[in-house]
Amino acid sequence: MKKAFLILFAIVTAFTAKAQSEENTAKSVIMALKHKSFYQLEFILAEPENKKAIETKFNLLLSNASKSGINVEKLAFDFHQSHRIEGTNMLVLLIVYKTEDGTNWDDIILLLDKKSYSIMDIGQPEKTLKKDAASRGKNMKNIAGLIKVFYPNIPIKEDALNAAKNIINIVNTGKPEDLIPFMVYTGSEDPTRKHMSQPLNPKIEKDQKTAKYMFNKLSGLFSGPESIYAEGFKSNPENNTCNFRIVCSSTKNTEYMAFVLLNGKYLLY
């Protein structure tokens, strides 16, 4: 009987995959845990080639529940929260569930495709379904911060725009050499330096010329840092880069900018 139910559930899941939603995905995860069946999730994986890795994490959740005394068959979906990762095709989904004693917990974290709501990854499986009272409720209060669970160094639009404003301020009030600490080395001719891994060097003439070129390129385009805003922000978490177009509300001028996030610092390239 149970096997027949699982087969029926899988058929229904496959049939309704196109109508998936955040809540449906969240409920599907709880149902899969209740039945200890990763099979129920196979139809809503964004990247089937990652099936084995995600299945390993799913099984770790079941192991954690067993060790912490949670009866997964009594799990109940409570609600979900989500945060879209701006500039990407992804969102973070937080599932809040109840255990059989009625206590709710907020430690199931998923990375989803924001168009299909299919599962791309499970975050922090080693901390999930463990009844950790010290961390209970913290994820609900910091849903945006859960992006860092999957991408610790992902560029964020607001921070990247502030970096762009700093560049414009330097161009409007400083000298070309002032840009050097805020630009990244993009060459490959120097064996002692790695492409996109360190700032320009003020002692190297070619780096001085690179900064001067950028300084001249941006000179006179923007009335000031307070006048610019970002359009078309795109973030690439795989290599910690982002790009967007800055627009001046005063002059109406625009310019494309790209940054890499290195050691917490946005460097222009």
Side-chain angles (χ1 to χ4, degrees), residues 8 56 160:
L8 178 62
T56 297

Side-chain angles (χ1 to χ4, degrees), residues 54-85:
I54 296 178
E55 184 176 11
T56 297
K57 294 180 180 181
F58 178 84
N59 288 333
L60 179 56
L61 302 192
L62 293 176
S63 175
N64 290 345
S66 177
K67 291 176 182 177
S68 59
I70 293 176
N71 182 354
V72 293
E73 295 181 3
K74 299 293 185 179
L75 288 180
F77 172 76
D78 196 355
F79 63 92
H80 77 279
Q81 292 181 327
S82 66
H83 183 81
R84 299 204 163 207
I85 307 177

Side-chain angles (χ1 to χ4, degrees), residues 1 13 26 28 37 39-40 46 68 75 81 85 96 110 113 146 173 176 181 189 195 204 219:
M1 184 68 181
T13 301
S28 294
S37 172
Y39 180 68
Q40 294 184 20
S68 59
L75 288 180
Q81 292 181 327
I85 307 177
V96 181
L110 302 179
D113 181 296
L146 297 181
T173 63
E189 70 285 350
H195 177 79
I204 297 178
S219 291

Side-chain angles (χ1 to χ4, degrees), residues 185-202:
Y185 170 72
T186 58
S188 57
E189 70 285 350
D190 188 340
T192 66
R193 296 198 288 175
K194 188 176 179 181
H195 177 79
M196 297 278 282
S197 67
Q198 61 193 94
L200 295 181
N201 189 332

